[in-house]
Amino acid sequence: MPTPAPAPPLRTRLRPYLLIAPTLVGAAYLLLYPFVRNLVISVQHFRMAELIRGGAPFVGLDNYAELLTDPRFWTVTARTAGWTALNTVLITGLGTLVALMLVRLGKRMRLAVMSALVLVWATPVIAATTVFQWLFQSRFGVVNWALDQLGLHGYRDYAWFAHPAATFTVLVLLVVWQSVPFAALTLYGGLTTIPAELYESARIDGANARQTFRTVTVPVLRPLFALVTSLEVIWTFKCFAQIWVVSQGGPDGATTTLPVYAFQIAQNLHKYDLGSAASTLTVLILLAALVSTLRRMHRQEGAEA
């Protein structure tokens, strides 16, 4: 009977944990502490006076009750859900189309398109937002000029950021433009791992391009689609910088989402307790949506298996 190998020394067993310890400590300081502090403020009466002199009294769930009975909170929540769903569908759909295009392009053209996608993805958020503001500027913007040249003279000097629907549309275009590169490059990487034999078998069986995509590509890349969709839900749901720079939630609150709403309450109204409660509810709603989505996808994978 072979002699069992001796257990490694304690130093060897602890080495992996020591290597990741700085990352865990940094994550706890940058993520866990602010969340706990935010949660504590959300159950206190914490306004400007308490910020200056300290000693905020405990009020329990009163702040949450005030938010949940406010009709505007539910209006903003519904708008945030619509905003997230629309952007996620557009980003995932366009990202899939771009990834499929990359597979079919020649080497040089593929390199050019991928380089452009990387440049778009690497563009800082504020810089990209400023460019879009210039593009849609009423008097000197390229978009109004191009539409006017195409015969749509109603868009001459059109004030995009003065109309709720137009502002919402510009923000959707901005977020989709910034997010498609990540989805496209990630899905393209997944497409390159699918064995060519599967596509060959589908063609032999007489499947057209749509049937091949549905029966071969989607099942193989389902986990990757789930990952991309989940990340895009997080990205669009918590989107703040673009909305705040372009419209600050206006006009008439048409672009106010939950992150913007929480910031407005905390910073503009100095109701830090309600702002903290709103941001906590935002995190909980996002977690609930993600857990529901991942569980549904997991059940679909189990049913297919």
Side-chain angles (χ1 to χ4, degrees):
M1 186 173 180
T3 305
L10 180 61
R11 180 181 300 177
T12 303
R13 296 199 303 269
L14 291 178
R15 185 174 299 166
Y17 301 99
L18 294 176
L19 291 174
I20 65 172
T23 301
L24 294 177
V25 172
Y29 178 75
L30 295 175
L31 298 176
L32 184 60
Y33 172 75
F35 178 76
V36 173
R37 180 58 178 159
N38 185 80
L39 190 62
V40 170
I41 294 176
S42 70
V43 294
Q44 295 175 328
H45 180 80
F46 201 102
R47 305 292 170 90
M48 181 62 75
E50 285 74 23
L51 178 65
I52 295 174
R53 68 169 182 257
F58 177 78
V59 296
L61 299 179
D62 290 354
N63 294 317
Y64 293 94
E66 182 175 345
L67 281 177
L68 295 175
T69 55
D70 183 1
R72 184 166 182 257
F73 172 80
W74 294 108
T75 301
V76 172
T77 301
R79 184 183 299 115
T80 306
W83 159 269
T84 303
L86 176 61
N87 280 286
T88 302
V89 170
L90 290 175
I91 293 166
T92 306
L94 291 175
T96 302
L97 293 176
V98 174
L100 292 171
M101 179 189 70
L102 287 172
V103 173
R104 288 162 175 77
L105 289 177
K107 184 177 180 180
R108 292 184 178 179
M109 184 58 67
R110 183 188 303 124
L111 179 61
V113 174
M114 293 179 68
S115 300
L117 291 173
V118 171
L119 287 175
V120 171
W121 191 14
T123 303
V125 171
I126 301 301
T129 304
T130 303
V131 170
F132 265 71
Q133 287 179 301
W134 291 343
L135 290 174
F136 288 90
Q137 207 271 342
S138 59
R139 294 193 59 188
F140 304 107
V142 174
V143 173
N144 283 357
W145 174 84
L147 292 174
D148 182 51
Q149 294 298 311
L150 292 173
L152 301 174
H153 302 300
Y155 285 95
R156 181 181 297 170
D157 296 337
Y158 182 76
W160 289 87
F161 303 114
H163 300 84
T167 306
F168 192 89
T169 300
V170 172
L171 285 169
V172 169
L173 292 175
L174 171 59
V175 172
V176 170
W177 180 79
Q178 289 181 297
S179 304
V180 162
F182 168 77
L185 293 174
T186 303
L187 293 174
Y188 168 72
L191 287 171
T192 59
T193 65
I194 299 178
E197 294 80 4
L198 296 179
Y199 290 113
E200 210 43 58
S201 300
R203 281 193 292 269
I204 292 174
D205 292 337
N208 56 31
R210 181 178 299 178
Q211 291 170 333
T212 301
F213 178 77
R214 188 178 66 251
T215 59
V216 177
T217 305
V218 172
V220 174
L221 295 186
R222 190 181 298 278
L224 197 57
F225 277 115
L227 173 65
V228 170
T229 301
S230 300
L231 292 177
E232 295 304 337
V233 167
I234 296 172
W235 163 255
T236 56
F237 192 96
K238 69 182 184 66
C239 184
F240 172 80
Q242 298 92 325
I243 298 175
W244 189 256
V245 172
V246 170
S247 64
Q248 296 189 2
D252 299 327
T255 58
T256 300
T257 58
L258 280 172
V260 177
Y261 176 71
F263 185 82
Q264 288 174 336
I265 293 176
Q267 298 300 322
N268 295 351
L269 303 179
H270 303 295
K271 296 180 178 180
Y272 306 108
D273 46 6
L274 289 178
S276 298
S279 60
T280 301
L281 290 174
T282 299
V283 173
L284 294 178
I285 292 171
L286 179 58
L287 285 176
L290 286 174
V291 169
S292 175
T293 301
L294 293 176
R295 288 185 62 184
R296 183 168 60 252
M297 291 181 175
H298 180 71
R299 285 199 298 266
Q300 290 176 353
E301 289 180 4
E304 291 180 357

